[in-house]
Amino acid sequence: MSQLAAPWRFLARGFLLLWDELALMLGLSLLLALSLLLILPAPAVAAGLAVVARRMAREERVNFDFFKEGVRAYARLSYLVLGVWLAVLAMLVVNVRFYAQMDGSLFRVISFTWLYLGLLWLALLPHLLPTLLELQAPTVWLVFRNTALLLFSAPLYLLSFLVQLGLWLLLLRYLPLLFFLGWGGWLALIASLGVRYLIGRVSGADADHK
């Protein structure tokens, strides 16, 4: 499968999987949206949703019990992983704003460099928990390292996914209701399918994804 086409294939495949388990995924997506508004429970809810999405990507049976098991099993690590991600994002935003306010072409170049790093960091986010679930003995360091290695092993996939993510954010800006109606579940499915594809490429098993 072409790296450029892969995120868009997973967009379509994710919609079909979402449709097959519409009631469950709409409920979990709504739960994720509400938890993001409250901030504190969001990582645990995202971990439970990632477990369900991973099973769906593998065409395995799903129900709400798997979500609860995912929350119990991965809540602590999800808080650590997503907490580190958020802290680094805050640092990147501060650096972009700081250098953007300074005069001179050199500072503009530095600001754009930080912005570029911020975009790469943003692309990491949806893939972190799916990567975590693939590790036998996950740690915060291994989750970030393996996610980065997977994404940078397929630069065209990364570029295509960033374009798709930008369109998602644009769509949410003008249709904010999607934030509560399936967006979280759909993105979790796309990321789970993406991580499976990237692992297949690295391990030489890409034939399964053609």
Side-chain angles (χ1 to χ4, degrees):
M1 183 190 303
S2 161
Q3 291 184 37
L4 285 172
W8 306 99
R9 293 273 299 269
F10 301 148
L11 180 74
R13 178 63 179 155
F15 178 79
L16 294 176
L17 291 171
L18 181 77
W19 187 261
D20 287 341
E21 296 288 346
L22 189 60
L24 175 63
M25 292 304 282
L26 284 181
L28 294 182
S29 297
L30 178 59
L31 188 59
L32 178 64
L34 294 174
S35 72
L36 286 170
L37 295 177
L38 297 173
I39 299 177
L40 190 58
V45 174
L49 179 57
V51 169
V52 173
R54 180 175 183 264
R55 292 186 62 86
M56 290 176 65
R58 293 168 174 261
E59 299 185 354
E60 297 174 350
R61 181 178 63 88
V62 293
N63 56 46
F64 191 71
D65 289 336
F66 291 107
F67 169 79
K68 293 189 291 185
E69 289 176 12
V71 171
R72 284 195 297 267
Y74 298 103
R76 177 182 171 276
L77 197 52
S78 68
Y79 275 102
L80 292 173
V81 168
L82 297 181
V84 169
W85 182 88
L86 189 60
V88 174
L89 178 66
M91 181 199 71
L92 291 169
V93 170
V94 167
N95 278 284
V96 170
R97 290 175 61 87
F98 175 76
Y99 287 105
Q101 292 171 356
M102 302 182 72
D103 294 328
S105 57
L106 175 62
F107 294 117
R108 283 195 292 271
V109 170
I110 295 174
S111 177
F112 277 113
T113 301
W114 282 111
L115 180 61
Y116 175 72
L117 292 174
L119 292 174
L120 296 178
W121 195 248
L122 190 63
L124 236 65
L125 177 60
H127 299 89
L128 288 172
L129 293 181
T131 302
L132 183 157
L133 298 178
E134 299 296 334
L135 295 171
Q136 292 184 350
T139 64
V140 173
W141 163 246
L142 280 178
V143 171
F144 279 98
R145 188 200 69 173
N146 287 16
T147 304
L149 288 175
L150 286 173
L151 288 175
F152 291 128
S153 73
L156 294 180
Y157 170 91
L158 176 58
L159 176 63
S160 188
F161 181 79
L162 276 171
V163 171
Q164 186 182 113
L165 194 59
L167 292 175
W168 268 115
L169 295 175
L170 186 64
L171 190 62
L172 287 172
R173 178 180 178 182
Y174 292 102
L175 294 173
L177 194 60
L178 287 176
F179 181 71
F180 299 96
L181 297 178
W183 167 77
W186 199 354
L187 185 58
L189 287 165
I190 294 169
S192 291
L193 291 165
V195 167
R196 284 194 72 201
Y197 162 73
L198 293 170
I199 291 174
R201 285 189 75 258
V202 170
S203 64
D206 191 34
D208 294 338
H209 302 279
K210 290 182 178 177

mmCIF file of all heavy atoms in Angstrom, residues 89-109:
data_model
loop_
_atom_site.group_PDB
_atom_site.id
_atom_site.type_symbol
_atom_site.label_atom_id
_atom_site.label_comp_id
_atom_site.label_asym_id
_atom_site.label_seq_id
_atom_site.Cartn_x
_atom_site.Cartn_y
_atom_site.Cartn_z
ATOM 1 N N LEU A 89 4.203 19.755 24.420
ATOM 2 C CA LEU A 89 3.437 20.629 23.518
ATOM 3 C C LEU A 89 3.411 22.056 24.054
ATOM 4 O O LEU A 89 3.586 23.017 23.291
ATOM 5 C CB LEU A 89 2.009 20.099 23.363
ATOM 6 C CG LEU A 89 1.104 20.963 22.482
ATOM 7 C CD1 LEU A 89 1.579 20.954 21.035
ATOM 8 C CD2 LEU A 89 -0.351 20.502 22.571
ATOM 9 N N ALA A 90 3.197 22.216 25.363
ATOM 10 C CA ALA A 90 3.184 23.548 25.961
ATOM 11 C C ALA A 90 4.524 24.248 25.751
ATOM 12 O O ALA A 90 4.571 25.444 25.424
ATOM 13 C CB ALA A 90 2.865 23.443 27.449
ATOM 14 N N MET A 91 5.617 23.507 25.905
ATOM 15 C CA MET A 91 6.946 24.086 25.693
ATOM 16 C C MET A 91 7.122 24.524 24.241
ATOM 17 O O MET A 91 7.664 25.606 23.955
ATOM 18 C CB MET A 91 8.016 23.059 26.053
ATOM 19 C CG MET A 91 9.441 23.567 25.887
ATOM 20 S SD MET A 91 10.650 22.226 25.776
ATOM 21 C CE MET A 91 10.286 21.556 24.158
ATOM 22 N N LEU A 92 6.648 23.698 23.306
ATOM 23 C CA LEU A 92 6.764 24.039 21.885
ATOM 24 C C LEU A 92 5.963 25.294 21.552
ATOM 25 O O LEU A 92 6.437 26.164 20.815
ATOM 26 C CB LEU A 92 6.284 22.860 21.031
ATOM 27 C CG LEU A 92 7.179 21.616 21.053
ATOM 28 C CD1 LEU A 92 6.466 20.437 20.384
ATOM 29 C CD2 LEU A 92 8.506 21.879 20.362
ATOM 30 N N VAL A 93 4.763 25.392 22.087
ATOM 31 C CA VAL A 93 3.918 26.569 21.838
ATOM 32 C C VAL A 93 4.578 27.827 22.386
ATOM 33 O O VAL A 93 4.592 28.883 21.730
ATOM 34 C CB VAL A 93 2.520 26.363 22.455
ATOM 35 C CG1 VAL A 93 1.717 27.664 22.416
ATOM 36 C CG2 VAL A 93 1.767 25.261 21.727
ATOM 37 N N VAL A 94 5.131 27.737 23.589
ATOM 38 C CA VAL A 94 5.822 28.888 24.193
ATOM 39 C C VAL A 94 6.982 29.338 23.313
ATOM 40 O O VAL A 94 7.186 30.539 23.083
ATOM 41 C CB VAL A 94 6.313 28.537 25.616
ATOM 42 C CG1 VAL A 94 7.288 29.598 26.128
ATOM 43 C CG2 VAL A 94 5.128 28.408 26.562
ATOM 44 N N ASN A 95 7.763 28.385 22.808
ATOM 45 C CA ASN A 95 8.905 28.735 21.958
ATOM 46 C C ASN A 95 8.465 29.363 20.645
ATOM 47 O O ASN A 95 9.090 30.325 20.160
ATOM 48 C CB ASN A 95 9.754 27.495 21.694
ATOM 49 C CG ASN A 95 10.714 27.197 22.828
ATOM 50 O OD1 ASN A 95 11.741 27.850 22.977
ATOM 51 N ND2 ASN A 95 10.366 26.222 23.641
ATOM 52 N N VAL A 96 7.410 28.831 20.031
ATOM 53 C CA VAL A 96 6.897 29.414 18.781
ATOM 54 C C VAL A 96 6.475 30.856 19.011
ATOM 55 O O VAL A 96 6.845 31.765 18.245
ATOM 56 C CB VAL A 96 5.721 28.580 18.230
ATOM 57 C CG1 VAL A 96 5.032 29.323 17.086
ATOM 58 C CG2 VAL A 96 6.198 27.219 17.749
ATOM 59 N N ARG A 97 5.705 31.092 20.064
ATOM 60 C CA ARG A 97 5.214 32.447 20.347
ATOM 61 C C ARG A 97 6.371 33.391 20.697
ATOM 62 O O ARG A 97 6.393 34.549 20.275
ATOM 63 C CB ARG A 97 4.200 32.404 21.485
ATOM 64 C CG ARG A 97 2.880 31.734 21.095
ATOM 65 C CD ARG A 97 1.962 31.617 22.301
ATOM 66 N NE ARG A 97 1.640 32.924 22.854
ATOM 67 C CZ ARG A 97 0.643 33.681 22.442
ATOM 68 N NH1 ARG A 97 -0.150 33.268 21.454
ATOM 69 N NH2 ARG A 97 0.400 34.844 23.004
ATOM 70 N N PHE A 98 7.321 32.896 21.465
ATOM 71 C CA PHE A 98 8.441 33.733 21.892
ATOM 72 C C PHE A 98 9.249 34.230 20.699
ATOM 73 O O PHE A 98 9.512 35.433 20.550
ATOM 74 C CB PHE A 98 9.330 32.943 22.860
ATOM 75 C CG PHE A 98 10.576 33.678 23.268
ATOM 76 C CD1 PHE A 98 10.521 34.710 24.197
ATOM 77 C CD2 PHE A 98 11.808 33.338 22.710
ATOM 78 C CE1 PHE A 98 11.675 35.390 24.562
ATOM 79 C CE2 PHE A 98 12.958 34.021 23.076
ATOM 80 C CZ PHE A 98 12.895 35.049 24.005
ATOM 81 N N TYR A 99 9.644 33.308 19.821
ATOM 82 C CA TYR A 99 10.486 33.703 18.693
ATOM 83 C C TYR A 99 9.700 34.438 17.612
ATOM 84 O O TYR A 99 10.271 35.252 16.871
ATOM 85 C CB TYR A 99 11.189 32.478 18.110
ATOM 86 C CG TYR A 99 12.298 31.963 18.994
ATOM 87 C CD1 TYR A 99 12.131 30.810 19.756
ATOM 88 C CD2 TYR A 99 13.504 32.646 19.095
ATOM 89 C CE1 TYR A 99 13.141 30.341 20.575
ATOM 90 C CE2 TYR A 99 14.520 32.188 19.918
ATOM 91 C CZ TYR A 99 14.336 31.031 20.663
ATOM 92 O OH TYR A 99 15.348 30.584 21.483
ATOM 93 N N ALA A 100 8.402 34.173 17.524
ATOM 94 C CA ALA A 100 7.579 34.868 16.526
ATOM 95 C C ALA A 100 7.425 36.345 16.852
ATOM 96 O O ALA A 100 7.203 37.175 15.951
ATOM 97 C CB ALA A 100 6.207 34.211 16.440
ATOM 98 N N GLN A 101 7.539 36.704 18.120
ATOM 99 C CA GLN A 101 7.380 38.101 18.538
ATOM 100 C C GLN A 101 8.661 38.917 18.390
ATOM 101 O O GLN A 101 8.656 40.134 18.559
ATOM 102 C CB GLN A 101 6.915 38.148 19.995
ATOM 103 C CG GLN A 101 5.502 37.617 20.203
ATOM 104 C CD GLN A 101 5.147 37.463 21.662
ATOM 105 O OE1 GLN A 101 5.972 37.684 22.547
ATOM 106 N NE2 GLN A 101 3.905 37.085 21.927
ATOM 107 N N MET A 102 9.760 38.260 18.057
ATOM 108 C CA MET A 102 11.042 38.949 17.937
ATOM 109 C C MET A 102 11.314 39.339 16.488
ATOM 110 O O MET A 102 10.909 38.647 15.553
ATOM 111 C CB MET A 102 12.167 38.057 18.480
ATOM 112 C CG MET A 102 11.959 37.654 19.942
ATOM 113 S SD MET A 102 13.299 36.647 20.623
ATOM 114 C CE MET A 102 14.601 37.874 20.765
ATOM 115 N N ASP A 103 11.983 40.460 16.315
ATOM 116 C CA ASP A 103 12.304 40.954 14.978
ATOM 117 C C ASP A 103 13.548 40.261 14.428
ATOM 118 O O ASP A 103 14.438 39.858 15.185
ATOM 119 C CB ASP A 103 12.551 42.466 15.022
ATOM 120 C CG ASP A 103 11.278 43.233 15.381
ATOM 121 O OD1 ASP A 103 10.188 42.754 15.010
ATOM 122 O OD2 ASP A 103 11.388 44.287 16.032
ATOM 123 N N GLY A 104 13.583 40.136 13.119
ATOM 124 C CA GLY A 104 14.754 39.557 12.474
ATOM 125 C C GLY A 104 14.427 38.241 11.798
ATOM 126 O O GLY A 104 13.635 37.444 12.294
ATOM 127 N N SER A 105 15.052 38.028 10.646
ATOM 128 C CA SER A 105 14.775 36.818 9.860
ATOM 129 C C SER A 105 15.235 35.560 10.581
ATOM 130 O O SER A 105 14.614 34.504 10.459
ATOM 131 C CB SER A 105 15.463 36.917 8.495
ATOM 132 O OG SER A 105 16.861 37.110 8.652
ATOM 133 N N LEU A 106 16.342 35.660 11.339
ATOM 134 C CA LEU A 106 16.841 34.497 12.066
ATOM 135 C C LEU A 106 15.812 33.990 13.058
ATOM 136 O O LEU A 106 15.568 32.777 13.158
ATOM 137 C CB LEU A 106 18.146 34.843 12.788
ATOM 138 C CG LEU A 106 18.715 33.737 13.692
ATOM 139 C CD1 LEU A 106 19.043 32.497 12.858
ATOM 140 C CD2 LEU A 106 19.947 34.235 14.435
ATOM 141 N N PHE A 107 15.178 34.925 13.778
ATOM 142 C CA PHE A 107 14.177 34.525 14.772
ATOM 143 C C PHE A 107 12.928 33.942 14.112
ATOM 144 O O PHE A 107 12.284 33.057 14.667
ATOM 145 C CB PHE A 107 13.807 35.710 15.663
ATOM 146 C CG PHE A 107 14.945 36.172 16.529
ATOM 147 C CD1 PHE A 107 15.469 37.453 16.388
ATOM 148 C CD2 PHE A 107 15.505 35.324 17.471
ATOM 149 C CE1 PHE A 107 16.527 37.874 17.177
ATOM 150 C CE2 PHE A 107 16.558 35.743 18.268
ATOM 151 C CZ PHE A 107 17.080 37.021 18.118
ATOM 152 N N ARG A 108 12.595 34.436 12.918
ATOM 153 C CA ARG A 108 11.466 33.860 12.184
ATOM 154 C C ARG A 108 11.776 32.422 11.773
ATOM 155 O O ARG A 108 10.909 31.545 11.827
ATOM 156 C CB ARG A 108 11.123 34.711 10.967
ATOM 157 C CG ARG A 108 10.346 35.974 11.310
ATOM 158 C CD ARG A 108 9.710 36.580 10.072
ATOM 159 N NE ARG A 108 10.729 37.105 9.156
ATOM 160 C CZ ARG A 108 11.208 38.346 9.212
ATOM 161 N NH1 ARG A 108 10.782 39.171 10.158
ATOM 162 N NH2 ARG A 108 12.101 38.761 8.330
ATOM 163 N N VAL A 109 13.012 32.173 11.340
ATOM 164 C CA VAL A 109 13.411 30.813 10.985
ATOM 165 C C VAL A 109 13.326 29.903 12.202
ATOM 166 O O VAL A 109 12.826 28.767 12.122
ATOM 167 C CB VAL A 109 14.843 30.803 10.400
ATOM 168 C CG1 VAL A 109 15.353 29.372 10.258
ATOM 169 C CG2 VAL A 109 14.867 31.511 9.054
#
